[in-house]
Amino acid sequence: MRHRRKTVRLQRKDGHRRSLLANQACALIEHGRIRTTLAKAKALRPIAEKLITLTKKEDGVHARRMAFRFLRQKDSVKRLFDTVAPAVGDRPGGFCRITKLGPRPSDSAPMAFIEWVDNENLADDDIEEGIEEVAEEVAEEAAEDTE
């Protein structure tokens, strides 16, 4: 029987599961929204919310080291503390949102988006730069067409 065993196993060994969830947490921190299976999204949500709670409790070296112990990527830890945590603000909890998408065509696995609730404040920097570049190109082309 599995009484009081709360961990979602995802049909993986312990080390593989930890690596999978750490990589997905890093992707969520970096991109703000990821598409994954519903089971993985539900397993990732408490981990992501605990990381945000860690950043809100203390913003010291110890908290950063605890986050790095799980994430193992310096860039993700830096973005978590510098960008994601301030954007969340005074929200008391519920930092992630899971949106169901329907079945995946290949194997009918239920898919979902997991994203930060305050996602508009966490736009990916690369996306913003790309949008600015495209806007500049369009403006240049429009200026050339008018000449």
Side-chain angles (χ1 to χ4, degrees):
M1 287 187 238
R2 56 176 306 275
H3 295 295
R4 297 177 53 103
R5 292 187 182 189
K6 189 176 179 180
T7 304
V8 179
R9 292 212 169 154
L10 300 174
Q11 298 182 356
R12 287 163 172 81
K13 300 282 186 188
D14 189 45
H16 186 193
R17 183 176 57 250
R18 284 184 190 164
S19 295
L20 170 82
L21 293 174
N23 288 334
Q24 288 209 323
C26 289
L28 179 62
I29 291 167
E30 182 180 342
H31 299 293
R33 175 168 78 168
I34 58 172
R35 181 180 177 186
T36 184
T37 62
L38 184 60
K40 290 177 190 171
K42 286 182 177 181
L44 178 62
R45 176 192 271 172
I47 291 169
E49 294 195 358
K50 285 175 186 172
L51 286 170
I52 292 291
T53 303
L54 176 68
T55 63
K56 291 178 76 175
K57 282 184 181 177
E58 53 181 299
D59 188 18
V61 176
H62 181 64
R64 287 178 183 264
R65 287 180 178 168
M66 288 178 64
F68 182 76
R69 184 177 67 187
F70 180 75
L71 296 174
R72 290 173 296 199
Q73 291 183 13
K74 289 182 183 179
D75 297 337
S76 295
V77 173
K78 183 172 179 4
R79 183 169 167 86
L80 176 68
F81 278 83
D82 297 343
T83 308
V84 177
V88 170
D90 296 330
R91 180 180 291 274
F95 308 113
C96 296
R97 173 188 304 132
I98 295 177
T99 308
K100 295 180 182 179
L101 297 175
R104 183 165 48 195
S106 62
D107 61 354
S108 296
M111 298 299 288
F113 275 130
I114 181 167
E115 62 184 347
W116 302 116
V117 173
D118 299 322
N119 201 18
E120 60 276 354
N121 299 336
L122 300 170
D124 197 1
D125 296 334
D126 298 334
I127 293 173
E128 289 178 1
E129 291 173 5
I131 290 172
E132 291 173 2
E133 290 175 5
V134 170
E136 290 174 5
E137 290 176 6
V138 169
E140 290 174 3
E141 289 177 8
E144 289 175 4
D145 290 341
T146 57
E147 292 176 357

